[in-house]
Amino acid sequence: MKVLIVGSGAREHALARSLHLDPSVTELHAVPGNPGIGALATLHQGDANDGAAVAALAREVGADLVVVGPEAPLVAGVADAVREAGIPCFGPSGQAAMLEGSKAFAKEIMAAANVPTAAPRVCTDAASLAAALGEFGAPYVVKDDGLAAGKGVVVTDSLLEATAHGDAILGAGGTIVVEEYLDGPEVSLFCICDGETVVPLQPAQDFKRAYDGDEGLNTGGMGAYSPLPWAPEGLVQEVVRTVAQPTVDEMARRGTPFQGVLYCGLALTSKGLRVVEFNARFGDPETQSVLARLETPLAGVLLAAAEGRLAELPPLTWSDNAAVTVVLAAHGYPEDVRSGDPITGTAQAEEVAGAHVLHAGTALDSDGALVASGGRVLCTVGVGANLSEARVTAYKALGRIGLAGSHHRSDIALAVAEAEQG
């Protein structure tokens, strides 16, 4: 099978790694990819958001399957263009991807499907923003309705900060969704969907804030781990029954079937399970931990989803091992990011038993040296018999990598590892 991956982040590198290990995959291509993906796949220059160009490339390389990683190409309709070219594509249509592209639309779908979620208020001006903030009170949850790469959400006790974030969204011509605050731990669960059937993966937990102790601004994610030993028994089945399947059924009823990954961001609140958000693709950095534990070859699962055959598959198989992912961020992230700093030690990090490195914001300079080219630069994934062991491995590998001015959280999976140790 020849597979073309669309995207250039660590999520796409994790997908490339799993597909590279799949014996059914004979050729792997990526557009535009990154240096890490380039070690596993043939890289192609091109605009990942240009559906016609991606479809043309897929035909050129003879792709049997196209896997669209990021949200922007999905919302732009890249999957539609690929399917129109007669090539199976893993990723929802532009209309279906609006489950992530518009938080207001996602809330509408959840209401129609009776999916439990935080009560929302859609705000289009300063007056409605002020009214919503006054209605819900602190902590305030203010979201950009559109795509914001995981950084469009502010959760704060400060009315001034909440108002300022809302005003910034309005000033940029956007729409705001203000929600009631959800207490309790958060869980990420990816569900593979083919328009009708839902196949859940294993749950993970990510760490959104930039610094230890959940301090600092929201980011695209600074680390993640899987499994979740503290999760309630039957959680995955409950999410499929009350969240994922009703959502997929509602999308099908509307004539916009959802084929791809439905990312269910969940809160286990004092009032029960609630949806925090939907994404229309694999989440980053949770994907890095989840795929490190998946034993079923990935290509066949993605192709079955693209072709509407998920119901024919046997149950997925999973390693009993744990996986911990730690993100290394560039100087200034998540605000004024500095690019161009050299990166050293990735080969040495890969030599740590049970560890691998996944590239995100990396590039090669004119001399062919690896440099930082984005906010979240790379991540190390540690796999071990338990979370404590996996955590040690991930941080040992990270310790071998050099990047001036970089920062990372030192507490990824710390609390759960300590609980594991008793």
Side-chain angles (χ1 to χ4, degrees), residues 199 296 300-302 304-305 309-316:
V199 175
T296 300
V301 178
L302 302 188
R309 298 184 290 102
L310 277 179
E312 301 172 8
L313 294 186
L316 301 180

Side-chain angles (χ1 to χ4, degrees), residues 279-300:
N279 289 335
R281 39 73 191 182
F282 283 108
D284 182 350
E286 300 100 316
T287 300
Q288 290 88 299
S289 291
V290 172
L291 290 186
R293 300 183 56 232
L294 178 65
E295 292 183 338
T296 300
L298 183 63

Side-chain angles (χ1 to χ4, degrees), residues 156-207:
T156 178
D157 288 321
S158 166
L159 180 59
L160 282 175
E161 186 180 351
T163 303
H165 184 60
D167 287 343
I169 295 169
L170 292 174
T175 298
I176 305 160
V177 177
V178 177
E179 296 180 2
E180 67 172 327
Y181 175 75
L182 297 177
D183 61 355
E186 292 193 9
V187 174
S188 301
L189 182 68
F190 306 146
C191 293
I192 308 292
C193 311
D194 66 2
E196 294 182 2
T197 302
V198 173
V199 175
L201 303 186
Q202 290 287 301
Q205 185 175 59
D206 76 334
F207 294 73

Side-chain angles (χ1 to χ4, degrees), residues 167-399:
D167 287 343
I169 295 169
L170 292 174
T175 298
I176 305 160
V177 177
V178 177
E179 296 180 2
E180 67 172 327
Y181 175 75
L182 297 177
D183 61 355
E186 292 193 9
V187 174
S188 301
L189 182 68
F190 306 146
C191 293
I192 308 292
C193 311
D194 66 2
E196 294 182 2
T197 302
V198 173
V199 175
L201 303 186
Q202 290 287 301
Q205 185 175 59
D206 76 334
F207 294 73
K208 287 292 186 191
R209 298 283 185 164
Y211 304 113
D212 284 9
D214 290 331
E215 296 291 331
L217 295 172
N218 261 9
T219 71
M222 294 298 291
Y225 68 92
S226 178
L228 309 182
W230 48 267
E233 188 175 351
L235 173 65
V236 171
Q237 292 78 9
E238 181 186 359
V239 174
V240 171
R241 179 177 56 82
T242 65
V243 175
Q245 192 68 60
T247 299
V248 168
D249 291 346
E250 176 63 20
M251 294 296 285
R253 188 188 69 77
R254 294 181 177 221
T256 53
F258 189 95
Q259 291 179 281
V261 177
L262 181 63
Y263 168 120
C264 302
L266 310 158
L268 307 185
T269 78
S270 55
K271 298 177 182 177
L273 177 73
R274 297 289 186 272
V275 174
V276 176
E277 64 176 353
F278 282 144
N279 289 335
R281 39 73 191 182
F282 283 108
D284 182 350
E286 300 100 316
T287 300
Q288 290 88 299
S289 291
V290 172
L291 290 186
R293 300 183 56 232
L294 178 65
E295 292 183 338
T296 300
L298 183 63
V301 178
L302 302 188
L303 183 62
E307 295 182 338
R309 298 184 290 102
L310 277 179
E312 301 172 8
L313 294 186
L316 301 180
T317 57
W318 295 90
S319 166
D320 290 332
N321 285 336
V324 172
T325 300
V326 184
V327 171
L328 185 69
H331 181 280
Y333 180 79
E335 296 184 283
D336 296 322
V337 174
R338 190 173 75 196
S339 293
D341 287 318
I343 303 166
T344 61
T346 55
Q348 290 79 5
E350 292 268 9
E351 292 171 357
V352 174
H356 58 272
V357 177
L358 298 172
H359 292 231
T362 67
L364 300 177
D365 67 12
S366 57
D367 296 322
L370 191 66
V371 297
S373 66
R376 290 184 297 167
V377 178
L378 51 77
C379 58
T380 56
V381 181
V383 176
N386 52 44
L387 287 165
S388 300
E389 191 175 297
R391 187 174 183 278
V392 168
T393 299
Y395 278 104
K396 183 177 180 181
L398 191 72

